[in-house]
Amino acid sequence: MSYPFKEDVTIQFSHESLVKHINNRMESLPDSRLSGPNTRYEMSDAGLSAFSVFFMQSPSFLQQQRLMHKQRGINNVNTLFGTHKVPSDNQIRNLMDTVPPDHFYPIYRQIFSDLNQTGYFESFKVLDKQLLIAFDGTDYFSSKSIHCKCCSTKEQKNGDIHYSHTAVTPVILSPNQSQVIPLVPEFVTPQDGSNKQDCEIKASTRWVDRESDQFDHQEITVLGDDLYCHEPFCQHILGKNWNFIFVCKPTSHQTVYEHIEGLSTLGKVHHFKEKQWTGKETHDHHYRFLNDVPIKDGEGALSVNWCEITTTNESGDIIYKNSFATNHWLTKENVIDIITAGRARWKIENENNNTLKTKGYNLKHNFGHGKAMLSSTLATLNILSFLIHTVLEHFDERYRLVRQELGARKTFFDDIRALTRYICFDSWHHLLETMMEGLEIPIPTS
Ligand SMILES: [Zn+2]
C-alpha cells in the first residue's frame, strides 16, 4: 500500500515494505560464513524472528508460532515477517551474536530520509524552522555475573565487577507533537584503542560525528539534560553549526549562577511573569533570562545564554522550576518558546526510553545476553520496532483506525498477541482487517 504525500513523492510506509528492508539488511551481511543460500536464509530468519518478538511485544511469540507450525504446518512468523522457518532460540542467539548493531542503522536513516521527504517533520519544527533532537542515555541491562565483550564494567567497593549496558537514544521530538521519532542509537561500550571507559557524552559525540551529515540543510537544536551542558560538548554542537538548549543546574554550574546572582542584585537580569489558567487554578510562570554568561570559570570560556522558569500555584508553592543554557540569543519574545522546547525533552524518557526498558525489552531470558554483540543488536532491533510502529501509526490508515478504537497501546498489543496465537494471518493487512471487522470499523477502500 502506498501513500502519496506530495505529488512527486510516493513512499512505501507499509508493514510489508519495512519488514522487507530488514530482510534485505540481513541478507546483505558481509559474513564469511554466508557460503551458500541456506546460510543466507538462516541469517535472515534469525534476524526477522528476533525482530518479530519486539514488533509483537510478545516474549512467547516464537514459542507459540513453533507450536502452531507443529500442529498445522503454518505460522505467523512466516506469513507476517517472511521467514522461511523459525529458528530455535539457540540458533537465533548464536547467529545474532555475530551481527553488529550498526548493520541495521541504514534502515533508521532510510526511514528518516523518507519521512523527511514527505514533509512529515514540518509540523515538528519550532523556533523558526528548528528541528529538535533530544539526547538521553538509558541503562537497559545490569548484572553481576552475565557479561559480554560490549559490557561496561564498574568495580564495586567490595571488589565485585558490575556489568551494564547503556545506549544513547536520540529522538526527534516537538512540543507540538505526541509522537517521537527514534534515530540511530549509539552504545556506550569499550572502544577499540582506548583504555578509558566509554561514557554517555563520548557516545553522544561519536553519534554527532557519524550522523550529522544526514541533517544537511536542516536547522538543528539539540536538547539534553544537565550532563550535556558541558563546554566541550556545547562546542562540538556549535562546530556542526547546530544549536543547543541544555538543562543548566546551579549545583553543576556554579560560575553561571554566581554571574547571574551578581547581575541580579544590580537589576540586570531580565524577568517577567505570566499567568496561566489551567482549567482548575491559576499558575504564575516567572521567567528570568540573561544573555552572554560564561559557562565555566577561566579565560576564553564559552559564553551561553541562560533562562529559567519558576511556576507557582495559587498558594504560592513552587510546582516547577528549571533552567537552561542555550546558544540561541534570548529576548522577551522568544524565551518562552526556548523554555518550551527545552522542556519537551521529557518526552524522550517517557515515550522512547520507557518503551525500550519496559515495553518489550524484558527478553534477555529468552535470548540470553550473548558473548559479543547480541545484547546491543537486540536493543537496536527493539528501538527499530518502536520506530516502525510509530511510522505505521501515522501512515497506515488501518493501523491508525484500530489503535484509535482500542485506545490504550496495551490493549492493541494484547489483542494482537491473542489473535496471532490462535489464527494464522496471510498478512499484516489481513490481521488489521480482521480486527476492524470485529470492532465494526468500516474498512477503507484504498
Ligand atoms: Zn554485555
Side-chain angles (χ1 to χ4, degrees):
M1 184 178 4
S2 60
Y3 293 92
F5 244 72
K6 284 181 178 173
E7 274 175 52
D8 55 339
V9 187
T10 307
I11 300 280
Q12 297 283 321
F13 281 131
S14 67
H15 174 269
E16 285 75 12
S17 79
L18 291 162
V19 167
K20 206 169 157 210
H21 266 308
I22 299 171
N23 193 10
N24 290 344
R25 288 307 297 165
M26 287 308 295
E27 290 190 347
S28 69
L29 268 169
D31 194 305
S32 55
R33 292 173 302 110
L34 295 183
S35 52
N38 287 342
T39 332
R40 206 168 278 278
Y41 283 149
E42 275 175 21
M43 286 307 290
S44 181
D45 285 350
L48 291 168
S49 298
F51 173 76
S52 75
V53 176
F54 297 110
F55 190 83
M56 304 304 269
Q57 305 208 346
S58 169
S60 54
F61 181 62
L62 295 178
Q63 196 187 345
Q64 287 165 4
Q65 300 306 311
R66 284 186 202 108
L67 188 65
M68 183 187 276
H69 194 88
K70 208 168 156 190
Q71 291 165 342
R72 296 153 55 187
I74 47 173
N75 70 79
N76 286 297
V77 197
N78 172 239
T79 54
L80 303 184
F81 297 93
T83 57
H84 302 85
K85 31 178 216 182
V86 186
S88 69
D89 285 355
N90 222 2
Q91 280 171 303
I92 295 174
R93 181 164 47 234
N94 291 339
L95 291 170
M96 295 307 288
D97 202 22
T98 65
V99 181
D102 62 9
H103 191 70
F104 296 104
Y105 294 177
I107 306 175
Y108 285 77
R109 295 186 189 115
Q110 186 65 46
I111 293 174
F112 168 78
S113 160
D114 289 352
L115 284 175
N116 202 20
Q117 278 197 54
T118 66
Y120 176 80
F121 292 114
E122 289 309 306
S123 57
F124 279 66
K125 291 180 182 172
V126 292
L127 304 168
D128 194 22
K129 297 190 184 157
Q130 296 289 318
L131 195 59
L132 304 177
I133 300 181
F135 279 66
D136 198 22
T138 183
D139 300 332
Y140 65 92
F141 173 81
S142 156
S143 172
K144 282 182 181 164
S145 54
I146 299 168
H147 58 96
C148 70
K149 70 173 192 181
C150 294
C151 272
S152 296
T153 52
K154 200 173 186 180
E155 195 173 337
Q156 311 284 72
K157 278 184 184 159
N158 63 4
D160 286 353
I161 303 285
H162 179 256
Y163 301 97
S164 65
H165 280 247
T166 302
V168 174
T169 52
V171 300
I172 293 176
L173 51 71
S174 169
N176 313 324
Q177 299 293 327
S178 59
Q179 290 190 316
V180 303
I181 299 295
L183 299 167
V184 170
E186 175 66 25
F187 293 92
V188 177
T189 187
Q191 296 296 298
D192 286 345
S194 173
N195 295 326
K196 287 190 184 167
Q197 285 273 4
D198 197 21
C199 68
E200 190 177 327
I201 289 291
K202 285 185 193 169
S204 300
T205 306
R206 284 198 299 279
W207 189 95
V208 171
D209 285 339
R210 201 188 56 220
E211 302 298 326
S212 57
D213 282 356
Q214 60 172 316
F215 302 100
D216 265 0
H217 314 299
Q218 302 272 355
E219 299 281 331
I220 301 287
T221 293
V222 174
L223 312 179
D225 63 17
D226 189 71
L227 181 75
Y228 289 86
C229 194
H230 174 58
E231 190 182 46
F233 192 71
C234 295
Q235 294 279 28
H236 202 77
I237 294 296
L238 295 173
K240 299 286 175 192
N241 284 325
W242 287 3
N243 309 292
F244 62 82
I245 305 172
F246 295 140
V247 172
C248 178
K249 288 184 181 165
T251 41
S252 45
H253 294 87
Q254 234 176 325
T255 305
V256 171
Y257 283 84
E258 280 169 11
H259 199 84
I260 289 159
E261 293 323 313
L263 288 174
S264 179
T265 51
L266 299 173
K268 290 190 174 172
V269 174
H270 307 277
H271 61 98
F272 64 98
K273 269 187 188 175
E274 281 206 350
K275 287 192 184 299
Q276 184 198 9
W277 172 246
T278 64
K280 283 184 185 163
E281 62 171 346
T282 305
H283 286 169
D284 273 334
H285 301 299
H286 185 192
Y287 297 97
R288 295 201 298 156
F289 68 95
L290 182 65
N291 288 310
D292 223 353
V293 184
I295 195 170
K296 64 170 194 182
D297 216 0
E299 244 175 70
L302 176 70
S303 189
V304 293
N305 307 318
W306 171 90
C307 51
E308 177 189 75
I309 177 173
T310 309
T311 302
T312 50
N313 62 15
E314 284 176 359
S315 320
D317 303 323
I318 293 178
I319 53 172
Y320 181 79
K321 184 167 184 161
N322 212 343
S323 39
F324 302 90
T326 176
N327 68 309
H328 288 294
W329 190 258
L330 299 171
T331 64
K332 197 180 170 191
E333 285 65 46
N334 74 4
V335 70
I336 294 178
D337 289 343
I338 296 276
I339 288 174
T340 305
R343 288 179 71 170
R345 199 193 66 80
W346 67 269
K347 292 187 184 199
I348 191 175
E349 290 172 20
N350 240 38
E351 300 290 320
N352 192 63
N353 291 348
N354 200 21
T355 303
L356 180 62
K357 277 184 176 172
T358 60
K359 295 178 185 152
Y361 196 71
N362 52 353
L363 295 167
K364 57 181 182 275
H365 301 301
N366 281 18
F367 287 105
H369 188 71
K371 292 190 179 85
M373 293 172 282
L374 184 67
S375 182
S376 310
T377 300
L378 293 184
T380 304
L381 287 176
N382 191 19
I383 304 169
L384 183 61
S385 77
F386 174 59
L387 170 60
I388 290 180
H389 276 294
T390 307
V391 167
L392 290 179
E393 194 176 341
H394 187 83
F395 288 91
D396 183 334
E397 196 178 359
R398 287 163 177 76
Y399 187 112
R400 189 171 58 244
L401 289 170
V402 172
R403 271 299 306 270
Q404 268 169 9
E405 183 65 28
L406 291 176
R409 180 188 174 89
K410 186 176 177 300
T411 315
F412 177 76
F413 284 105
D414 284 349
D415 286 4
I416 282 183
R417 266 194 293 274
L419 285 166
T420 52
R421 180 171 183 171
Y422 298 107
I423 305 168
C424 185
F425 294 91
D426 299 340
S427 64
W428 180 247
H429 219 84
H430 180 203
L431 167 60
L432 288 176
E433 292 199 348
T434 304
M435 294 173 91
M436 293 177 82
E437 277 167 24
L439 294 164
E440 297 185 347
I441 304 169
I443 293 173
T445 47
S446 60

